[in-house]
Amino acid sequence: MKTSLVLSAILAAACVQVAQADTTERIKIDAGHQFFEANCQRCHSVDADRASYGPLLEKVVGRKAGSYGDYPYSDALKQANFVWTPGALRAWMEDNDVFIPGTKMRHVGIVDPTVQDFIVTYLNSQ
Ligand code: HEC
């Protein structure tokens, strides 16, 4: 009896923790969505059915740079030999001209690490 009470207390606490983690993730995704809309969406889409000026960013985390479909990338991005990670995305958002010189993406300059984190979390969910 005592053991099962303790056990249910532990289980309940674990559930609250999971719910809190989910909520935090949800809030970050929503905030990231808004920052994406404000800073990226006029050139990028996360929906393959929607044409956009820049390359599609759906599933960009884990994708090789400069490799989406038949998008006409600059030589700089075509020749870049790495996979997009959260860290690479942060550096790119912070100063894309420094991260890979010579690409055709206009400078965005998202320097706030919290905003970078939100946008990465959002992109990671797409
Ligand atoms: C003014 C238009 C514009 C804005 C705004 C813009 N981008 Fe881009 N982005 C581009 C273009 C154009 C490219 C392709 C660059 C090239 O080929 O050199 C690109 C490329 C990228 C790539 C490389 C994708 C790949 O397939 O390798 C990522 C990642 C990216 N942008 C993220 C972002 C994020 C995140 C934002 C918002 C913080 C943003 N961009 C804002 C135009 C834009």
Side-chain angles (χ1 to χ4, degrees):
M1 177 66 190
K2 226 179 182 175
T3 322
S4 71
L5 267 181
V6 171
L7 217 60
S8 23
I10 292 173
L11 275 176
C15 285
V16 169
Q17 266 178 9
V18 168
Q20 274 170 353
D22 279 356
T23 309
T24 310
E25 187 74 2
R26 198 62 261 158
I27 290 169
K28 282 169 82 175
I29 291 171
D30 287 349
H33 188 187
Q34 288 183 25
F35 283 113
F36 182 84
E37 275 183 0
N39 296 287
C40 322
Q41 189 157 279
R42 74 196 141 104
C43 301
H44 289 287
S45 162
V46 288
D47 176 354
D49 293 335
R50 269 194 27 213
S52 56
Y53 165 65
L56 181 88
L57 293 184
E58 187 188 32
K59 299 195 175 74
V60 70
V61 181
R63 189 168 91 195
K64 189 180 176 297
S67 73
Y68 178 72
D70 50 9
Y71 181 82
Y73 289 100
S74 62
D75 288 343
L77 208 49
K78 255 189 257 167
Q79 282 155 18
N81 193 16
F82 69 93
V83 166
W84 286 113
T85 58
L89 284 168
R90 281 199 192 91
W92 172 258
M93 269 186 261
E94 180 142 345
D95 195 335
N96 50 293
D97 295 330
V98 164
F99 188 64
I100 310 175
T103 75
K104 56 181 188 175
M105 180 166 128
R106 197 187 304 162
H107 179 87
V108 279
I110 308 286
V111 292
D112 185 332
T114 309
V115 176
Q116 293 174 359
D117 187 37
F118 287 161
I119 295 178
V120 168
T121 307
Y122 169 67
L123 285 175
N124 210 4
S125 74
Q126 297 301 301

